[in-house]
Amino acid sequence: MTNLTRLLVLAISWMWGAGAAYACSCDPVSLEAGFDRAQYVFAGKVVRADHHAWLIEVERAWKGGERLARTIKLMDVYATLDCEFFFQPGRRYVFFAILAKGGREVFYHPQACNWTRPLQSTRVPVEGSEPLWLEDFIAREHGPGEQPRADALDRTSPR
């Protein structure tokens, strides 16, 4: 009987804990709408991670690149919420982001419910041909992208 009681308590505890796990609930957004909604669309590599803040080496930008530094700070406004991000150092991503400023520091927020994801992780259907990687589809629609022009990480205002 004690084994049955232990098993029942364990099962209830497991189910109680499972109820606390949530997923970000998002309506689907087209790539075009996501691109329009973002202020910045760029590909880059995570060079440092620290408690939902990351330094990103921007490799190419399709939107907002003329205002991006080569290395930017990305912060997760969704940390501890259902839509929090987990970017891994050394991995490359395509980011859909907006500008955020805290005092004199310029940083960016990835947008939840948009197309931010690791490079070569998502194929986009293309009418009349094989699906393309997300970043290849963006390049096809918006050009090859540009390298960022700004050099300083701690600029106080976008150009």
Side-chain angles (χ1 to χ4, degrees):
M1 184 68 164
T2 57
N3 286 340
L4 181 59
T5 304
R6 287 182 189 156
L7 183 60
L8 183 59
V9 168
L10 181 62
I12 290 171
S13 299
W14 177 71
M15 289 174 57
W16 186 279
Y22 302 103
C24 189
S25 175
C26 297
D27 291 328
V29 61
S30 71
L31 185 52
E32 294 81 17
F35 194 91
D36 290 343
R37 188 168 55 183
Q39 291 175 312
Y40 301 87
V41 178
F42 58 93
K45 181 179 177 180
V46 177
V47 293
R48 190 171 79 206
D50 185 33
H51 303 292
H52 292 282
W54 303 271
L55 284 184
I56 309 296
E57 281 183 0
V58 178
E59 296 169 349
R60 62 180 167 157
W62 294 280
K63 187 174 181 182
E66 68 280 355
R67 297 181 309 268
L68 283 175
R70 294 190 197 297
T71 303
I72 64 159
K73 185 173 187 178
L74 194 67
M75 295 182 71
D76 190 1
V77 71
Y78 307 101
T80 72
L81 300 175
D82 296 347
C83 296
E84 66 187 319
F85 288 94
F86 296 97
F87 301 120
Q88 298 173 348
R91 258 189 111 179
R92 297 169 60 227
Y93 297 83
V94 61
F95 297 95
F96 287 69
I98 60 171
L99 176 67
K101 290 173 68 169
R104 294 183 51 87
E105 184 179 16
V106 174
F107 56 92
Y108 303 84
H109 292 305
Q111 289 182 301
C113 301
N114 210 332
W115 286 82
T116 295
R117 53 201 57 187
L119 291 180
Q120 295 191 343
S121 68
T122 303
R123 293 228 182 236
V124 177
V126 177
E127 191 174 323
S129 69
E130 293 290 318
L132 295 173
W133 291 117
L134 170 62
E135 58 275 16
D136 294 336
F137 184 81
I138 294 170
R140 186 184 97 164
E141 297 296 312
H142 299 280
E146 300 175 353
Q147 290 189 342
R149 295 194 181 113
D151 292 325
L153 172 63
D154 59 347
R155 290 189 358 249
T156 56
S157 63
R159 289 185 183 158

